[in-house]
Amino acid sequence: MSQTYTYQFNVPVSLFRKTQYFNTFLRKRGQGVFVVLVFVGALALLAANTLGGVQMSNVMQMCYIVCLIALPLCCFACEQATRRYRDDATDVAMRNVSVNDGWLKFRVSGNADSEKLEWSQIMAVFETRDMFLIYRDADKYLALPKDVVGDDAQGLRELFARELGRSFHVRV
């Protein structure tokens, strides 16, 4: 018989913000580095064009301007989602999560339905310093804070690795 891990918790605004930035910039390996390099390259082109006197076509200028705008817009989108989360008082909603080697079940207070998923329905799980992010698909995920997990962290890590194989990612 397998062990079932059950947790009841809420996701504070600060942790939700971390999930937004992780999902936007760090979920895919190298994505954050690429975004920063493009932004730095666009800054270099801006400096060369305005301070260095390098003549650039309108197309080149539009390209580096779009690249300079994209990073702040991504950060703005993360902050807007965080504000909506805070304003909707979603941070106080209790979540119930149960996990074992056959399924994952979760429910959010105020929602009568609970959802039970087979492991084949889970796209990926990411472990970060503060949480386990359990992705159903690219846009739907559940953040399980590590401070709630406590001493079960190693058992969960082994369960995720066994059930998901290469779809379990450690990003500590």
Side-chain angles (χ1 to χ4, degrees), residues 21-32 123 126 135 137-139 169 171:
Y21 280 94
F22 179 85
N23 198 41
T24 302
F25 297 109
L26 301 172
R27 187 172 52 125
K28 301 242 185 232
R29 193 172 294 282
Q31 184 172 304
M123 182 181 95
F126 290 86
Y135 282 84
D137 61 37
D139 297 322
H169 310 278
R171 301 276 175 86

Side-chain angles (χ1 to χ4, degrees), residues 24-131:
T24 302
F25 297 109
L26 301 172
R27 187 172 52 125
K28 301 242 185 232
R29 193 172 294 282
Q31 184 172 304
V33 173
F34 178 74
V35 169
V36 168
L37 289 176
V38 167
F39 188 77
V40 169
L43 281 174
L45 290 173
L46 172 67
N49 188 221
T50 57
L51 302 174
V54 176
Q55 294 296 318
M56 294 184 191
S57 69
N58 289 341
V59 171
M60 280 300 295
Q61 289 173 337
M62 285 189 306
C63 286
Y64 75 69
I65 290 170
V66 167
C67 291
L68 288 172
I69 293 171
L71 180 63
L73 280 177
C74 288
C75 293
F76 179 76
C78 291
E79 292 301 320
Q80 283 297 102
T82 302
R83 281 189 203 101
R84 279 192 307 276
Y85 180 81
R86 181 197 62 217
D87 293 346
D88 291 345
T90 312
D91 59 323
V92 296
M94 292 304 289
R95 286 140 173 89
N96 296 296
V97 175
S98 295
V99 180
N100 76 14
D101 62 359
W103 45 262
L104 179 135
K105 185 176 180 179
F106 61 92
R107 188 174 89 69
V108 177
S109 65
N111 185 351
D113 296 332
S114 63
E115 199 161 352
K116 187 174 183 178
L117 302 171
E118 303 290 324
W119 284 106
S120 62
Q121 295 173 287
I122 303 297
M123 182 181 95
V125 172
F126 290 86
E127 179 183 3
T128 70
R129 187 171 28 97
D130 303 317
M131 66 194 129

